[in-house]
Every structure is written in structure tokens, then in C-alpha cells.
Amino acid sequence: MITENNYKIERVLNIYVIGLILFVLNIILFLKFGEKFGDIFIDSSREVTVPLRILDGQVIYKDFHYEYGPIVPYFFALICKIFGSGLDVFRITGLTVSIAISLIIFKISEVYINRIYALLSSIIFIFLFAYHSEPINIFNYILPYSYVSIIGLLCLLLVYLNTLKYLMDRKIAPLLFLIVSISVCMLSKLEIILSTLIVLMFLPLLFNNNNSCLSKEKNLEGGKRNAIILFWIIPIAVLLFVYIYYFDYVNNEIYYLVKKNLNNLIGRTALGLNNIEYHFTKAITSFLFFITCGTLFILIDNYAIKKARYNYIQILVFITILLITTQIINVEGYDFLFNSSSLILLPFTVYLLGIVFSRGKDHRCVKHKVMLVITLSSLALTFRMAFNNTTNFYGFYLLVPSSMCIIVVIYYYIPLIARKYFNKRTKLLKIAFTIYFSTMCYSSFSNTVDVSEEKNKRLTTDKGALYLYEYQYDATQYLINDFKSSLNKEDTVMVLPEGYMLNYFLDVVPTSYNNSHLPDLTADSERELSLIQEIDEKKFDYIFIVPRYAFEWDLPVLGKDYLIDTIKHIDDTYNFYALYGTMPFSEDGKYGVLILKRK
């Protein structure tokens, strides 16, 4: 129930004010942290070099390996062709995606909850996902390990939003946007494709003519459009899926991707298979915390605060909630509630199924149907981190729809159930969780500040600026400034095991097939032999050896734990050229880049 004060706030919070708030918040965080996101070696280097490879005439999948669908690399190639290939071009694209997602989350959420809580849902996304920082700094929306992840997520959320908009007003524009959004989703990542297929499976349930609030004319018009939905969108999506099946990343890599996720530390950590008892216990604890607190807040609200004569009792309760919330976040982490997102959404899904099947022909059931599909799609999206629901790691994009659903559960469905079946009010529940989420956002922001302060050296290049850790700065700056002047335009460089950001800063377009040469791509003898053959065939002018430890695969040291024959072959065919910093892998915690020149 919206109070008079809330109603006044709602009138002020129109869509333009909301848009301005989210825009300004994104800009402030972008200016503060933008140059500190990304890593000199790990993953983000792939995202800035792939478009340059395409512009250089290389063909994706044929001339170089790419793990995901083709649409985003070609989109960035077009952007770089128009605006140049500086880091700021990539960053501003990430900023645009972050702003768009925060607005879409608000638009979806406000269908179910009032604008105050819908705004809170968008703010949670901004602080916990878009501008969240970890030491590696590649799980963010400004310079992420994969732009396909965040652009695919953007299009998936657009699928949700345009499905809602079409059902609510039956106009053709949302239908067209739905077609485009589904098509992009089907050309992105496997997780996004799976979640989109869940939506496609339920389109017949959503797009039917049983909405009694519509006139016969609108029902007839809707029937024609439903034919477009069923006989055009689904075939288009399926054909796109079949089409990309013939690309290398699907045809050759699905089995290997699954095997990699099960056999290396990154994949097992993402799934939660490492220390599964810990992850399962934490998820159960988080779920019980959610249920217990929710029940307790409703009981206190109805049997204590409601009957209290003095306002100081309410104030005391709110202060107590704030102190307890702060302590829980300090002990368990700011994303503690989302550790049980799957456990929270599963029973909620059963409840929605009950509503849909009991009142399926009621026009008021439409938004419940859509929320059911969004919830199922959100659960499918998290399969890659089944036992490890955390906003860190891959959760920076996989958990976004789930977090939005949880906000809707807390601020819409729990009050609906409490009021309808138990005749209980839930004002304290909403206030308490608002305090919790606000504290959670502040804690995440503080963590980002702490991590970003450790990157205190600003590397300035022709391509843009990037903050490095102090131990990385001197050698990297000297390498780029000194070595770049000795390079010829036609010179080629291979970086082992990973780190094509160096190619990017040196204005050298990579020509090797793989963007990295870590154990997941080179550990078996057949793939290592292919790498040796490639070195002989392409005759790279220089090979860089960088201290990128591969602890994720329990094979940390290049030349000692993996690619042993490759390093021996390089020793025979290349000479020492230069060393910037300490010899790579010679001392833990020391940094340096070794450059070898072909004999």
C-alpha cells in the first residue's frame, strides 16, 4: 500500500527524473573508477584487439579463435571504424550499456512495484554489478572480460521488457524490438541463448487471445500479431541458432567448454564444485536468513509496532535493524542475500505456476505470466554458477535478472501473499530490506574504493590511459615507450601465455590464432603441437613472455607446468632481445616482460 508521502514522492519521480538520477550516478562512478577497470594481461585485452583484427581483414573463427557469437565483435569493429579504437570508445560503450540496463531494470520493476523500490533495484545493479571491483578488475561493465556478456544481458532484458510492453498495449513497436533483441541474444553467449530459448518456449503461453479486457477488434488484431510471433520470431531464432552452430565456437567448443568448466579451477569455482559443502551451507544459511527475517519483520510489524503508542519504539526497531544488517554484511559479505537467489526463486516459481494455471484466462494474470517466464529464464541463466551464486566472478552479469526478480518478490509478491492470505501488513518488511539493500550498496562501493586505490599508477598511451598496480608500472611504461619506437609497421608479436593489451598499446594487430595460450587451450599435446607449427609457419618477429600465472588450472608456470615443448622450441628459434623488469616467473610477486626476437 502506497502511503500519502510515498504517493507524493512517486509523482515527483517521473521517468525523466529517474533517468536523470541513474544517468548522473553512472557518470559519477564512471569518472571515478573508469580508468581503473580492466587488466593489462587478463581477458580484457581480447576485447580491445578482436575488433582490430576484423578491421585488419581477419575473419572471425577462421583466422582467430573467438569463444562467443559474432555480432558483438563486428559491432565494435564498426564503432572503431567510425570513432577510432581508443580505450575510451570501449569504455563509453560499456557506460552506455550500464545506463541502458539500469533504465530497463527500472521499467520492468515498476510494472510490479512502486517507483521508489524500482529505483532501488536499479541502484543495486549499479553498485553490485556494473561498478563492482575485484583485484583482477575484469568483472565490471566498463572494460569487462567480455562485452558479449553485458550486451547479451542487455538484449535479454529487452526481451523481457518488450514482451511486457506488447502484452500491455498490443502495439507493433515492442514486437519489432522483441524480434531484434531475440536475434542478438541468439548470437551472443551460450548462457544467454539458453535463457532466450526459455522465453521462446513460453511465447504460446504469453501471446494468447484470452485477455478479457480487450475488445474483439483488438483480440483479432492481436491474433494476427500472435501469428507473427509464433511463425516468424521462433523460426528466425531457431535458424539463427542453427546458423551459428556451424561457427567454430559452437561446433568445436561446446563439449570442450563443458569439460573445461569441470576440469579447471575457474570453471569449478564458478560452478561452486570446489568446496561445495561451504557454498551449499552458505546458500542454505542465506535462504533461512531471508525466510526468518521476512517472517520476523511481518510479525513485529503486526503485533508490536502496529500497537505501539510511541514513535520511539519504531525508531528503536529501525536502528536495531540497521546495526544487525551492518554486522551481517561485515561478516557474511554484501551479496549474502543473493547467495540463495536460486533457493528463493524456486518456491516463488511454484507459486507463480499456481497463479497462472488457476487464473490463466484472467487478464490481470498477464504480468504474473511474464514474471514466471522471467524467473525461469533467470534461473536458466545462472546454471554456470549453480552452487556459487555470488555477485563476484561471472555473477556480475548472470545474477542481474535474478536480483531484479528477488526485489519484486520482496516488495510485491510477499506483501501480496501476506495481505491476501493472512491479512497482515508488510510496511516494516519493506523498510527493513530497504535498509539492508542500502547498506549492501554502500559496502560494495567501499570495497570498490579500497580495491581501486591499490591501482595507483596511471599508464598513459596513444590508445588511452589505464591504471596499473605499482609493481607493474615501471616495466610496462618503459616497454611501451622504448620498444614501440623500434617496431616496424609490418612486425608481428605473439604474447605468451596471455596479454594482448600489450599488442594494443604497441599498435600491433595480433595474428596468432588464439587470443591466449593458457592451459585450457594448449595443455593437451595436439593443441601444443598446433601452436609450435603456427610459430614456425607465421614466423612471429617477436615473442613476449609475461608473468601471467595459470593458477586457475593448477598449472601456474609457463614452460615448467605446461607448454614445455613450446618453450624449448622457442629457445631454439629465438634469441634474447630485451628484458623489462624481472625475469618472468623467476620470483613470486615480481614483474617483468621478456622479449625474444626471431633468429
Side-chain angles (χ1 to χ4, degrees):
M1 183 68 69
I2 300 175
T3 65
E4 184 177 350
N5 289 334
N6 280 350
Y7 178 72
K8 291 178 181 178
I9 296 174
E10 284 252 306
R11 292 186 63 183
V12 174
L13 290 178
N14 61 50
I15 187 61
Y16 299 106
V17 174
I18 293 291
L20 182 62
I21 291 171
L22 295 176
F23 177 80
V24 170
L25 186 56
N26 271 280
I27 292 295
I28 290 172
L29 294 174
F30 175 79
L31 293 175
K32 183 173 181 61
F33 301 118
E35 292 184 350
K36 297 197 174 185
F37 290 132
D39 192 89
I40 191 70
F41 293 142
I42 301 174
D43 270 354
S44 50
S45 58
R46 173 191 57 206
E47 294 300 296
V48 297
T49 55
V50 164
L52 302 184
R53 284 175 167 238
I54 294 172
L55 291 175
D56 192 51
Q58 298 181 40
V59 179
I60 195 169
Y61 310 122
K62 175 179 176 290
D63 294 321
F64 62 92
H65 173 81
Y66 190 70
E67 294 88 338
Y68 315 121
I71 194 164
V72 172
Y74 281 97
F75 164 75
F76 269 109
L78 175 63
I79 294 294
C80 290
K81 182 75 173 176
I82 297 171
F83 299 105
S85 58
L87 276 177
D88 286 340
V89 172
F90 294 92
R91 288 176 177 140
I92 290 172
T93 304
L95 169 66
T96 305
V97 171
S98 176
I99 293 171
I101 289 178
S102 57
L103 285 169
I104 293 169
I105 288 173
F106 171 80
K107 291 296 292 180
I108 295 173
S109 300
E110 74 164 347
V111 174
Y112 300 90
I113 55 183
N114 70 49
R115 286 177 172 174
I116 302 169
Y117 302 130
L119 177 61
L120 175 64
S121 185
S122 294
I123 291 173
I124 289 171
F125 159 75
I126 290 171
F127 281 105
L128 260 73
F129 299 99
Y131 295 90
H132 175 71
S133 184
E134 290 295 322
I136 298 177
N137 275 327
I138 60 174
F139 302 112
N140 61 81
Y141 282 63
I142 305 305
L143 192 60
Y145 87 97
S146 167
Y147 279 102
V148 181
S149 302
I150 63 173
I151 293 177
L153 173 65
L154 169 64
C155 291
L156 181 63
L157 292 171
L158 281 171
V159 170
Y160 300 158
L161 177 63
N162 286 296
T163 301
L164 262 173
K165 287 177 71 66
Y166 175 71
L167 287 170
M168 292 170 67
D169 57 28
R170 297 283 174 170
K171 292 182 178 178
I172 194 67
L175 195 58
L176 297 176
F177 281 117
L178 184 60
I179 294 172
V180 174
S181 301
I182 289 175
S183 300
V184 176
C185 286
M186 299 301 289
L187 290 167
S188 58
K189 294 190 71 175
L190 292 176
E191 307 96 287
I192 303 292
I193 293 171
L194 176 62
S195 298
T196 307
L197 289 174
I198 295 293
V199 178
L200 289 173
M201 285 171 54
F202 282 88
L203 280 179
L205 171 68
L206 296 175
F207 293 91
N208 62 68
N209 296 324
N210 292 323
N211 296 330
S212 59
C213 61
L214 300 176
S215 65
K216 289 184 178 180
E217 291 78 11
K218 282 200 171 184
N219 275 329
L220 182 61
E221 185 181 358
K224 293 178 181 177
R225 289 174 185 159
N226 291 343
I228 296 175
I229 288 288
L230 295 175
F231 296 102
W232 286 99
I233 290 186
I234 293 178
I236 286 173
V238 171
L239 284 172
L240 285 171
F241 183 74
V242 172
Y243 177 65
I244 64 172
Y245 178 83
Y246 292 98
F247 281 110
D248 173 73
Y249 98 101
V250 174
N251 195 33
N252 296 324
E253 302 295 336
I254 288 181
Y255 171 76
Y256 190 67
L257 176 66
V258 174
K259 181 181 177 182
K260 181 178 72 172
N261 275 337
L262 292 176
N263 290 339
N264 75 63
L265 190 58
I266 284 186
R268 292 178 62 82
T269 301
L271 287 168
L273 296 177
N274 282 345
N275 204 358
I276 189 171
E277 292 182 4
Y278 166 78
H279 292 299
F280 186 73
T281 301
K282 193 166 185 179
I284 292 294
T285 305
S286 173
F287 179 69
L288 292 176
F289 164 78
F290 173 78
I291 296 297
T292 303
C293 287
T295 305
L296 188 61
F297 292 146
I298 292 174
L299 292 175
I300 292 174
D301 195 7
N302 286 272
Y303 296 104
I305 291 181
K306 187 177 180 180
K307 299 178 180 180
R309 297 181 179 180
Y310 305 105
N311 287 333
Y312 72 81
I313 294 179
Q314 298 182 30
I315 296 172
L316 181 64
V317 170
F318 297 151
I319 293 174
T320 303
I321 290 170
L322 178 60
L323 293 174
I324 293 174
T325 294
T326 304
Q327 183 61 25
I328 289 172
I329 289 174
N330 287 336
V331 174
E332 299 290 347
Y334 43 81
D335 62 346
F336 177 56
L337 179 61
F338 295 132
N339 293 148
S340 62
S341 57
S342 298
L343 294 177
I344 293 171
L345 293 180
L346 282 172
F348 166 63
T349 304
V350 175
Y351 169 73
L352 282 176
L353 280 169
I355 292 180
V356 169
F357 282 106
S358 63
R359 296 193 287 122
K361 295 185 178 182
D362 189 341
H363 72 274
R364 292 170 297 180
C365 188
V366 169
K367 65 181 183 180
H368 299 310
K369 289 181 181 179
V370 177
M371 183 49 63
L372 172 63
V373 175
I374 292 175
T375 304
L376 290 171
S377 177
S378 301
L379 289 170
L381 189 62
T382 61
F383 82 95
R384 192 174 181 181
M385 47 191 310
F387 302 101
N388 185 25
N389 286 323
T390 172
T391 58
N392 302 330
F393 218 16
Y394 298 125
F396 86 103
Y397 74 100
L398 294 177
L399 274 183
V400 171
S402 296
S403 69
M404 180 183 68
C405 291
I406 287 174
I407 300 300
V408 172
V409 168
I410 291 172
Y411 292 103
Y412 178 73
Y413 281 102
I414 290 180
L416 178 67
I417 293 169
R419 183 174 64 253
K420 181 176 180 180
Y421 297 105
F422 303 101
N423 195 28
K424 303 298 181 185
R425 70 178 195 170
T426 53
K427 181 180 178 180
L428 179 62
L429 173 85
K430 294 177 181 178
I431 293 173
F433 274 106
T434 301
I435 292 172
Y436 175 83
F437 288 128
S438 300
T439 309
M440 184 170 62
C441 289
Y442 175 77
S443 178
S444 178
F445 173 74
S446 298
N447 179 77
T448 300
V449 170
D450 292 341
V451 171
S452 64
E453 284 179 353
E454 295 178 13
K455 279 192 166 183
N456 54 8
K457 292 291 186 177
R458 190 172 187 263
L459 177 68
T460 305
T461 72
D462 296 339
K463 293 288 189 179
L466 179 70
Y467 275 86
L468 304 179
Y469 292 106
E470 187 170 355
Y471 71 90
Q472 297 175 326
Y473 178 75
D474 289 336
T476 305
Q477 183 192 43
Y478 186 38
L479 183 155
I480 292 171
N481 293 336
D482 178 65
F483 183 73
K484 187 174 181 179
S485 60
S486 64
L487 275 173
N488 297 317
K489 188 175 182 180
E490 64 277 5
D491 284 343
T492 56
V493 175
M494 170 183 273
V495 182
L496 294 176
E498 181 182 41
Y500 281 120
M501 190 70 83
L502 293 177
N503 289 64
Y504 176 74
F505 285 140
L506 292 169
D507 278 332
V508 177
V509 178
T511 56
S512 60
Y513 182 74
N514 285 316
N515 290 291
S516 72
H517 303 88
L518 292 164
D520 62 326
L521 293 171
T522 56
D524 62 84
S525 57
E526 183 179 345
R527 288 178 181 243
E528 182 172 7
L529 180 60
S530 297
L531 175 59
I532 294 172
Q533 291 173 347
E534 182 181 26
I535 292 172
D536 287 339
E537 290 172 4
K538 294 185 177 179
K539 295 180 171 56
F540 299 100
D541 295 291
Y542 298 94
I543 290 181
F544 290 10
I545 308 293
V546 301
R548 174 26 173 131
Y549 288 88
F551 292 110
E552 304 96 310
W553 293 270
D554 293 324
L555 299 168
V557 179
L558 174 73
K560 178 181 177 182
D561 300 308
Y562 69 102
L563 290 186
I564 298 171
D565 292 337
T566 302
I567 295 301
K568 289 179 180 178
H569 182 74
I570 290 172
D571 285 341
D572 294 335
T573 53
Y574 283 79
N575 288 326
F576 173 87
Y577 181 81
L579 174 64
Y580 297 91
T582 306
M583 182 67 71
F585 305 108
S586 61
E587 299 179 52
D588 290 341
K590 298 294 184 179
Y591 175 88
V593 178
L594 172 64
I595 299 180
L596 304 171
K597 186 174 183 179
R598 189 167 187 86
K599 292 180 180 178

